[in-house]
Amino acid sequence: MRILLYRGDGQIEPWARDFAAALPHAETVAWEEGASTPWGPYDYAVLWSPCPALLDTLAQVKAVFLMGAGVDAILKFGDLLPPVPLIRLGDAGMAEQMAEYVAHAVLRYYRRFDEHEQQARQGIWRPLPPRDKSAFTVGVLGMGKLGMPVLRTLRQLGFPVRGWSRTPKDAPGVDCYAGMAALDDFLAGTRVLVSMLPLTPQTNNLLDRARLARLPQGAYLINVARGAQVAEPDLLALIRAGHLAGATLDVFRNEPLPAPHPFWGEPRISITPHIAALTIREEAVRQIAAKIALLERGETVADLVDRNRGY
Protein backbone atom coordinates (compact mmCIF):
# COMPACT_ATOMS: atom_id res chain seq x y z
CA MET A 1 0.00 0.00 0.00
CA ARG A 2 1.29 3.47 -0.89
CA ILE A 3 -0.01 6.61 0.84
CA LEU A 4 0.64 10.13 -0.42
CA LEU A 5 0.98 12.84 2.23
CA TYR A 6 0.76 16.57 1.60
CA ARG A 7 0.26 19.75 3.63
CA GLY A 8 0.11 23.22 2.17
CA ASP A 9 2.20 24.56 5.06
CA GLY A 10 4.96 22.00 4.47
CA GLN A 11 4.70 20.57 8.00
CA ILE A 12 4.57 16.97 6.83
CA GLU A 13 7.40 15.23 8.71
CA PRO A 14 5.48 14.55 11.97
CA TRP A 15 2.56 13.16 9.97
CA ALA A 16 4.87 10.89 7.96
CA ARG A 17 6.43 9.61 11.17
CA ASP A 18 3.06 8.88 12.79
CA PHE A 19 1.64 7.17 9.70
CA ALA A 20 4.74 4.99 9.44
CA ALA A 21 4.09 3.83 13.01
CA ALA A 22 0.31 3.40 12.55
CA LEU A 23 0.58 1.61 9.18
CA PRO A 24 3.98 -0.13 9.19
CA HIS A 25 3.01 -2.25 6.18
CA ALA A 26 2.40 0.87 4.06
CA GLU A 27 4.84 3.12 2.22
CA THR A 28 4.18 6.79 3.00
CA VAL A 29 5.43 9.33 0.48
CA ALA A 30 5.60 13.06 1.24
CA TRP A 31 4.59 14.93 -1.92
CA GLU A 32 6.28 18.29 -2.49
CA GLU A 33 5.51 20.63 -5.34
CA GLY A 34 8.51 20.95 -7.64
CA ALA A 35 10.50 18.27 -5.79
CA SER A 36 11.51 14.90 -7.18
CA THR A 37 8.74 13.10 -5.32
CA PRO A 38 8.36 9.43 -6.34
CA TRP A 39 5.50 9.14 -8.80
CA GLY A 40 2.42 7.02 -8.24
CA PRO A 41 0.36 5.06 -8.31
CA TYR A 42 -0.85 5.69 -4.77
CA ASP A 43 -3.63 3.85 -2.95
CA TYR A 44 -4.69 6.75 -0.71
CA ALA A 45 -3.91 10.43 -0.26
CA VAL A 46 -3.89 12.25 3.08
CA LEU A 47 -3.65 15.98 2.71
CA TRP A 48 -4.49 19.49 3.79
CA SER A 49 -4.92 22.56 1.55
CA PRO A 50 -3.73 20.92 -1.68
CA CYS A 51 -2.07 22.81 -4.51
CA PRO A 52 -3.38 22.60 -8.12
CA ALA A 53 -0.34 20.58 -9.24
CA LEU A 54 -1.50 17.74 -7.02
CA LEU A 55 -4.92 17.26 -8.63
CA ASP A 56 -3.90 14.89 -11.43
CA THR A 57 -2.18 12.63 -8.91
CA LEU A 58 -5.38 12.39 -6.84
CA ALA A 59 -7.22 10.81 -9.78
CA GLN A 60 -5.21 7.62 -9.16
CA VAL A 61 -6.21 7.00 -5.53
CA LYS A 62 -9.06 5.03 -3.95
CA ALA A 63 -9.91 7.86 -1.55
CA VAL A 64 -8.63 11.20 -0.29
CA PHE A 65 -8.49 11.80 3.46
CA LEU A 66 -8.44 15.35 4.80
CA MET A 67 -6.42 16.36 7.87
CA GLY A 68 -9.30 18.37 9.31
CA ALA A 69 -13.07 18.76 9.48
CA GLY A 70 -13.24 21.63 6.95
CA VAL A 71 -13.46 20.82 3.25
CA ASP A 72 -13.54 24.21 1.52
CA ALA A 73 -9.78 24.18 0.81
CA ILE A 74 -10.25 21.21 -1.53
CA LEU A 75 -13.78 21.75 -2.84
CA LYS A 76 -12.72 25.16 -4.18
CA PHE A 77 -11.23 23.31 -7.18
CA GLY A 78 -14.74 22.35 -8.31
CA ASP A 79 -14.84 20.23 -11.46
CA LEU A 80 -11.03 20.12 -11.61
CA LEU A 81 -11.10 17.82 -8.59
CA PRO A 82 -11.11 14.14 -9.61
CA PRO A 83 -14.31 12.22 -8.72
CA VAL A 84 -12.75 10.16 -5.93
CA PRO A 85 -14.26 9.83 -2.43
CA LEU A 86 -13.33 12.64 -0.05
CA ILE A 87 -13.30 11.78 3.66
CA ARG A 88 -12.96 14.44 6.33
CA LEU A 89 -11.99 13.96 9.97
CA GLY A 90 -14.69 13.26 12.48
CA ASP A 91 -14.20 14.77 15.91
CA ALA A 92 -10.51 13.90 16.49
CA GLY A 93 -10.46 15.99 19.68
CA MET A 94 -11.77 19.16 18.06
CA ALA A 95 -15.26 19.23 19.62
CA GLU A 96 -13.95 19.61 23.16
CA GLN A 97 -11.59 22.39 22.14
CA MET A 98 -14.34 24.20 20.26
CA ALA A 99 -16.70 23.99 23.23
CA GLU A 100 -13.99 25.38 25.51
CA TYR A 101 -13.23 28.27 23.17
CA VAL A 102 -16.86 29.27 22.66
CA ALA A 103 -17.71 28.91 26.35
CA HIS A 104 -14.78 31.18 27.24
CA ALA A 105 -15.82 33.81 24.69
CA VAL A 106 -19.47 33.74 25.82
CA LEU A 107 -18.56 33.97 29.50
CA ARG A 108 -16.09 36.78 28.84
CA TYR A 109 -18.84 38.89 27.30
CA TYR A 110 -21.62 37.77 29.65
CA ARG A 111 -19.57 38.38 32.81
CA ARG A 112 -18.36 41.69 31.35
CA PHE A 113 -14.71 40.70 31.68
CA ASP A 114 -13.98 42.57 28.46
CA GLU A 115 -15.29 45.79 29.99
CA HIS A 116 -13.46 45.22 33.26
CA GLU A 117 -10.24 44.64 31.32
CA GLN A 118 -10.73 47.93 29.50
CA GLN A 119 -11.36 49.74 32.79
CA ALA A 120 -8.27 48.16 34.33
CA ARG A 121 -6.11 49.48 31.48
CA GLN A 122 -7.41 52.95 32.37
CA GLY A 123 -6.84 52.48 36.10
CA ILE A 124 -10.57 52.45 36.85
CA TRP A 125 -11.99 50.40 39.77
CA ARG A 126 -15.73 50.16 39.12
CA PRO A 127 -17.75 46.94 39.50
CA LEU A 128 -20.30 46.61 36.71
CA PRO A 129 -23.80 45.22 37.37
CA PRO A 130 -24.41 41.57 36.44
CA ARG A 131 -26.46 40.59 33.41
CA ASP A 132 -29.63 38.52 33.48
CA LYS A 133 -28.71 35.06 32.22
CA SER A 134 -32.34 34.14 31.52
CA ALA A 135 -32.41 36.87 28.86
CA PHE A 136 -28.96 36.07 27.51
CA THR A 137 -29.78 33.70 24.65
CA VAL A 138 -26.88 32.16 22.74
CA GLY A 139 -27.59 31.09 19.17
CA VAL A 140 -25.39 28.63 17.28
CA LEU A 141 -25.36 28.53 13.49
CA GLY A 142 -24.66 24.91 12.64
CA MET A 143 -25.82 21.86 14.60
CA GLY A 144 -23.32 19.27 13.38
CA LYS A 145 -20.53 17.31 15.07
CA LEU A 146 -18.93 20.48 16.44
CA GLY A 147 -22.03 22.62 16.91
CA MET A 148 -23.93 20.15 19.10
CA PRO A 149 -21.20 19.81 21.76
CA VAL A 150 -21.03 23.61 21.92
CA LEU A 151 -24.80 23.82 22.44
CA ARG A 152 -24.67 21.16 25.17
CA THR A 153 -21.83 22.96 26.98
CA LEU A 154 -23.63 26.32 26.91
CA ARG A 155 -26.84 24.70 28.12
CA GLN A 156 -24.95 23.10 31.03
CA LEU A 157 -23.69 26.58 31.92
CA GLY A 158 -27.31 27.70 32.22
CA PHE A 159 -27.68 29.80 29.08
CA PRO A 160 -30.86 29.69 27.00
CA VAL A 161 -29.70 28.22 23.68
CA ARG A 162 -31.04 28.08 20.16
CA GLY A 163 -29.65 26.40 17.09
CA TRP A 164 -30.06 26.95 13.37
CA SER A 165 -29.39 24.37 10.68
CA ARG A 166 -30.01 23.97 6.98
CA THR A 167 -32.40 21.08 7.59
CA PRO A 168 -34.61 20.42 10.64
CA LYS A 169 -32.87 19.08 13.74
CA ASP A 170 -34.11 18.20 17.19
CA ALA A 171 -32.02 18.54 20.34
CA PRO A 172 -33.14 18.43 24.00
CA GLY A 173 -33.25 21.86 25.58
CA VAL A 174 -32.42 23.65 22.33
CA ASP A 175 -34.83 25.96 20.52
CA CYS A 176 -34.32 24.73 16.95
CA TYR A 177 -34.68 26.67 13.71
CA ALA A 178 -34.17 25.38 10.17
CA GLY A 179 -33.91 26.80 6.67
CA MET A 180 -33.33 30.27 5.29
CA ALA A 181 -36.93 31.29 5.94
CA ALA A 182 -36.33 30.91 9.70
CA LEU A 183 -32.94 32.65 9.82
CA ASP A 184 -34.20 36.18 10.50
CA ASP A 185 -36.33 35.02 13.45
CA PHE A 186 -33.39 33.03 14.79
CA LEU A 187 -31.12 36.08 14.65
CA ALA A 188 -33.68 38.47 16.15
CA GLY A 189 -33.75 36.55 19.43
CA THR A 190 -30.02 35.90 19.74
CA ARG A 191 -27.86 37.87 22.18
CA VAL A 192 -24.64 36.05 21.32
CA LEU A 193 -24.30 34.57 17.82
CA VAL A 194 -21.83 31.71 17.28
CA SER A 195 -21.04 30.79 13.68
CA MET A 196 -20.02 27.15 13.18
CA LEU A 197 -21.22 26.55 9.64
CA PRO A 198 -19.12 25.03 6.85
CA LEU A 199 -18.13 27.41 4.08
CA THR A 200 -20.26 26.81 0.98
CA PRO A 201 -21.53 29.10 -1.80
CA GLN A 202 -24.67 29.53 0.32
CA THR A 203 -22.82 30.57 3.49
CA ASN A 204 -20.27 32.86 1.81
CA ASN A 205 -21.06 36.37 3.12
CA LEU A 206 -24.08 34.94 4.95
CA LEU A 207 -23.52 37.39 7.81
CA ASP A 208 -23.73 40.65 5.92
CA ARG A 209 -24.98 44.01 7.19
CA ALA A 210 -28.66 43.14 6.77
CA ARG A 211 -28.42 39.88 8.71
CA LEU A 212 -26.08 41.18 11.41
CA ALA A 213 -28.46 44.10 11.89
CA ARG A 214 -31.22 41.58 12.69
CA LEU A 215 -29.39 40.81 15.92
CA PRO A 216 -30.68 42.84 18.88
CA GLN A 217 -28.95 46.00 20.05
CA GLY A 218 -25.81 45.10 21.99
CA ALA A 219 -25.46 41.60 20.55
CA TYR A 220 -22.09 39.90 20.19
CA LEU A 221 -20.58 37.73 17.44
CA ILE A 222 -18.26 34.73 17.83
CA ASN A 223 -16.92 33.28 14.58
CA VAL A 224 -15.07 29.96 14.75
CA ALA A 225 -16.17 28.70 11.32
CA ARG A 226 -14.71 30.43 8.26
CA GLY A 227 -13.90 34.11 7.84
CA ALA A 228 -15.59 34.37 4.44
CA GLN A 229 -18.98 33.87 6.08
CA VAL A 230 -18.77 37.38 7.56
CA ALA A 231 -18.83 40.59 5.53
CA GLU A 232 -15.97 42.16 7.46
CA PRO A 233 -16.63 45.85 6.60
CA ASP A 234 -20.28 45.40 7.64
CA LEU A 235 -19.32 43.85 10.97
CA LEU A 236 -16.88 46.66 11.70
CA ALA A 237 -19.44 49.32 10.78
CA LEU A 238 -22.10 47.84 13.08
CA ILE A 239 -19.65 47.63 15.99
CA ARG A 240 -18.50 51.21 15.51
CA ALA A 241 -22.12 52.37 15.20
CA GLY A 242 -22.90 50.72 18.54
CA HIS A 243 -25.44 48.19 17.26
CA LEU A 244 -23.12 45.29 18.05
CA ALA A 245 -21.12 45.25 21.28
CA GLY A 246 -18.16 43.49 19.72
CA ALA A 247 -16.86 40.19 18.40
CA THR A 248 -14.47 37.36 19.10
CA LEU A 249 -12.99 36.18 15.81
CA ASP A 250 -10.79 33.14 15.27
CA VAL A 251 -11.11 33.02 11.47
CA PHE A 252 -10.76 35.64 8.74
CA ARG A 253 -11.24 36.05 5.02
CA ASN A 254 -7.47 36.37 4.59
CA GLU A 255 -5.16 34.48 6.93
CA PRO A 256 -2.85 35.44 8.51
CA LEU A 257 -4.86 38.59 9.15
CA PRO A 258 -2.94 41.34 7.29
CA ALA A 259 -1.11 43.90 9.42
CA PRO A 260 -3.08 46.94 8.16
CA HIS A 261 -6.49 45.30 8.69
CA PRO A 262 -8.81 47.59 10.73
CA PHE A 263 -9.80 44.71 13.03
CA TRP A 264 -6.39 45.01 14.71
CA GLY A 265 -7.16 48.54 15.86
CA GLU A 266 -10.70 47.91 17.12
CA PRO A 267 -10.60 47.20 20.89
CA ARG A 268 -14.07 45.63 20.83
CA ILE A 269 -12.83 42.83 18.55
CA SER A 270 -10.83 40.00 20.12
CA ILE A 271 -8.57 38.16 17.66
CA THR A 272 -7.07 34.68 17.85
CA PRO A 273 -5.02 33.03 15.05
CA HIS A 274 -7.35 30.18 13.96
CA ILE A 275 -6.73 28.10 17.08
CA ALA A 276 -10.27 27.43 18.35
CA ALA A 277 -10.02 23.72 17.50
CA LEU A 278 -6.63 22.45 16.41
CA THR A 279 -6.26 19.04 14.81
CA ILE A 280 -4.71 16.61 17.28
CA ARG A 281 -2.34 14.83 14.92
CA GLU A 282 -2.04 11.54 16.82
CA GLU A 283 -5.82 11.13 17.03
CA ALA A 284 -6.26 12.13 13.39
CA VAL A 285 -3.72 9.54 12.26
CA ARG A 286 -5.42 6.82 14.33
CA GLN A 287 -8.79 7.75 12.83
CA ILE A 288 -7.53 7.80 9.24
CA ALA A 289 -5.62 4.52 9.67
CA ALA A 290 -8.79 2.86 11.02
CA LYS A 291 -10.81 4.10 8.06
CA ILE A 292 -8.20 2.86 5.59
CA ALA A 293 -8.48 -0.57 7.23
CA LEU A 294 -12.26 -0.49 6.76
CA LEU A 295 -11.95 0.47 3.11
CA GLU A 296 -9.41 -2.28 2.52
CA ARG A 297 -11.98 -4.77 3.84
CA GLY A 298 -14.63 -3.33 1.53
CA GLU A 299 -16.60 -1.70 4.33
CA THR A 300 -18.09 1.79 4.42
CA VAL A 301 -16.68 4.68 6.46
CA ALA A 302 -18.18 7.72 8.13
CA ASP A 303 -17.56 11.39 7.32
CA LEU A 304 -17.78 11.07 3.54
CA VAL A 305 -17.99 14.55 1.99
CA ASP A 306 -21.13 15.35 0.00
CA ARG A 307 -19.85 17.58 -2.79
CA ASN A 308 -23.34 18.83 -3.64
CA ARG A 309 -23.91 20.10 -0.10
CA GLY A 310 -20.33 21.32 0.28
CA TYR A 311 -19.51 19.45 3.50
Side-chain angles (χ1 to χ4, degrees), residues 19 22 280-291:
F19 269 107
I280 299 175
R281 189 185 67 254
E282 295 83 357
E283 175 57 32
V285 170
R286 283 193 293 269
Q287 186 180 127
I288 293 170
K291 289 178 178 177

Side-chain angles (χ1 to χ4, degrees), residues 73-137:
I74 192 167
L75 290 186
K76 69 181 181 182
F77 293 110
D79 293 340
L80 297 176
L81 189 64
V84 298
L86 304 176
I87 304 167
R88 66 179 185 270
L89 283 183
D91 180 354
M94 290 178 282
E96 182 178 3
Q97 295 178 69
M98 194 69 82
E100 292 168 347
Y101 183 102
V102 173
H104 173 270
V106 170
L107 288 170
R108 182 173 181 269
Y109 175 52
Y110 166 69
R111 289 293 308 274
R112 310 185 78 160
F113 292 145
D114 52 346
E115 295 175 79
H116 282 111
E117 288 168 6
Q118 182 65 27
Q119 288 184 172
R121 284 192 290 269
Q122 300 173 27
I124 298 172
W125 179 285
R126 184 172 66 234
L128 299 171
R131 292 180 164 127
D132 178 7
K133 185 177 283 188
S134 66
F136 207 88
T137 299

Side-chain angles (χ1 to χ4, degrees), residues 5-10 12 15 46-51 54 64-74 88-89 226 274 279:
L5 302 178
Y6 176 83
R7 284 186 63 90
D9 59 9
I12 201 64
W15 289 83
V46 181
L47 49 84
W48 187 247
S49 192
C51 62
L54 189 57
V64 173
F65 290 91
L66 306 176
M67 296 176 178
V71 300
D72 48 288
I74 192 167
R88 66 179 185 270
L89 283 183
R226 287 292 186 266
H274 206 143
T279 298

Side-chain angles (χ1 to χ4, degrees), residues 31-278:
W31 194 96
E32 296 182 32
E33 186 173 10
S36 56
T37 304
W39 196 247
Y42 302 102
D43 295 284
Y44 299 98
V46 181
L47 49 84
W48 187 247
S49 192
C51 62
L54 189 57
L55 298 182
D56 288 342
T57 304
L58 299 183
Q60 311 166 22
V61 303
K62 301 174 186 177
V64 173
F65 290 91
L66 306 176
M67 296 176 178
V71 300
D72 48 288
I74 192 167
L75 290 186
K76 69 181 181 182
F77 293 110
D79 293 340
L80 297 176
L81 189 64
V84 298
L86 304 176
I87 304 167
R88 66 179 185 270
L89 283 183
D91 180 354
M94 290 178 282
E96 182 178 3
Q97 295 178 69
M98 194 69 82
E100 292 168 347
Y101 183 102
V102 173
H104 173 270
V106 170
L107 288 170
R108 182 173 181 269
Y109 175 52
Y110 166 69
R111 289 293 308 274
R112 310 185 78 160
F113 292 145
D114 52 346
E115 295 175 79
H116 282 111
E117 288 168 6
Q118 182 65 27
Q119 288 184 172
R121 284 192 290 269
Q122 300 173 27
I124 298 172
W125 179 285
R126 184 172 66 234
L128 299 171
R131 292 180 164 127
D132 178 7
K133 185 177 283 188
S134 66
F136 207 88
T137 299
V138 183
V140 175
L141 287 167
M143 299 177 66
K145 288 190 174 182
L146 298 181
M148 287 305 301
V150 167
L151 283 163
R152 287 193 293 269
T153 298
L154 294 170
R155 184 167 173 256
Q156 290 168 0
L157 288 170
F159 290 101
V161 292
R162 54 176 52 191
W164 182 92
S165 55
R166 186 180 63 87
T167 56
K169 299 280 181 70
D170 185 34
V174 179
D175 192 8
C176 298
Y177 295 74
M180 295 303 296
L183 183 56
D184 283 352
D185 287 342
F186 167 83
L187 294 172
T190 295
R191 180 66 179 272
V192 178
L193 177 64
V194 183
S195 180
M196 303 193 67
L197 293 168
L199 181 61
T200 68
Q202 291 73 37
T203 63
N204 186 48
N205 272 333
L206 178 71
L207 298 178
D208 58 10
R209 188 182 188 101
R211 290 200 176 95
L212 290 171
R214 292 281 183 181
L215 294 166
Q217 181 80 24
Y220 195 89
L221 173 67
I222 301 169
N223 189 11
V224 290
R226 287 292 186 266
Q229 293 174 3
V230 177
E232 293 179 345
D234 295 346
L235 171 62
L236 190 64
L238 288 170
I239 290 174
R240 289 179 172 173
H243 182 75
L244 298 181
T248 293
L249 305 176
D250 186 56
V251 290
F252 305 89
R253 189 170 297 271
N254 296 303
E255 296 182 2
L257 188 65
H261 198 289
F263 281 175
W264 288 115
E266 175 48 66
R268 289 162 290 190
I269 293 178
S270 295
I271 294 168
T272 53
H274 206 143
I275 49 80
L278 299 172

